[in-house]
Amino acid sequence: MGTSAIIFDLDGTLLDTLQDVADAANASLETCGFPARPIHDYPDLIGGGVRHLFRKALPKDAGEADIDTCVAAFREIYAEHWNDSTAPYPGIPELIALLRERGLKMAVLSNKPHEFTVRCVAAHFPEGTFDLVAGEGPETPAKPDPTGALGIAERFGCEPAAMAFLGDSDIDMHTAVRSGMRPFGAGWGFRSKEELFRCGAIAVVDHPRELPPLLERGEGEE
């Protein structure tokens, strides 16, 4: 196989978390005295981490203290409602099972806070599905910083060039490029194909079943 390991983004790639994140974020905004945002705004707000979400969702004259207040409210609300409607995208369980069968090492790297990343993965995938699960935290700076991805490569004993990165946003594509990994876009996620290609995707797949053949033939390798 042309690929020895793969890193998956979480929100918008493995799991459809849009409704739960948007509901918790809007409840947080209203709790803190700010207007809620329409659901169709959230695909562009999700992906950069919680602080990034509120920095974009709040009015332009909001300050860092407002962001802090909203983040704190979100952590409390999302902790109770993170799994109300979240579910894997169609075809994801089958993709994961196939790649596991073929011997790929697999990791999840998310800008969701680490504790929520672990909870989401544990709730929707059997124990041991992934060799490593990492969310944003003190030891894992938010993507597109390549530290987390390169740390996974080191843990796996893999050359970055032999690894694929599947994500649904510009942030994921930039992370893969900066890490020297092959960027694949999840066309079912939160962002457009045009954005994914513009930010470095070597291919964008419309359904998870389209990915394995690309990995087998080393799509994007020199």
Side-chain angles (χ1 to χ4, degrees), residues 11-60:
D11 299 61
T13 301
L14 294 176
L15 299 179
D16 183 356
T17 60
L18 181 63
Q19 191 68 55
D20 287 339
V21 172
D23 287 347
N26 277 339
S28 303
L29 288 167
E30 291 176 334
T31 295
C32 298
F34 297 102
R37 300 290 293 263
I39 186 71
H40 59 72
D41 282 357
Y42 277 91
D44 287 330
L45 299 177
I46 296 173
V50 179
R51 291 192 65 82
H52 180 77
L53 185 157
F54 285 107
R55 186 169 284 115
K56 294 176 70 174
L58 283 164
K60 293 185 182 299

Side-chain angles (χ1 to χ4, degrees), residues 52-120:
H52 180 77
L53 185 157
F54 285 107
R55 186 169 284 115
K56 294 176 70 174
L58 283 164
K60 293 185 182 299
D61 59 353
E64 291 300 312
D66 297 314
I67 295 173
D68 291 341
T69 302
C70 288
V71 168
F74 178 85
R75 287 179 178 272
E76 183 175 337
I77 294 167
Y78 191 62
E80 296 295 326
H81 297 284
W82 63 273
N83 205 26
D84 288 353
S85 60
T86 288
Y89 285 98
I92 286 295
E94 293 80 5
L95 170 65
I96 297 299
L98 178 61
L99 297 184
R100 173 62 66 191
E101 181 182 308
R102 295 185 179 182
L104 267 72
K105 291 183 178 295
M106 296 188 291
V108 175
L109 179 62
S110 176
N111 276 349
K112 187 186 290 291
H114 181 71
E115 64 270 25
F116 288 131
T117 299
V118 171
R119 289 175 69 181
C120 283

Side-chain angles (χ1 to χ4, degrees), residues 19 67 77 79 124 141 146 155 160 167 175 188-190:
Q19 191 68 55
I67 295 173
I77 294 167
H124 292 284
R155 291 273 297 275
T175 304
W188 55 85
F190 298 157

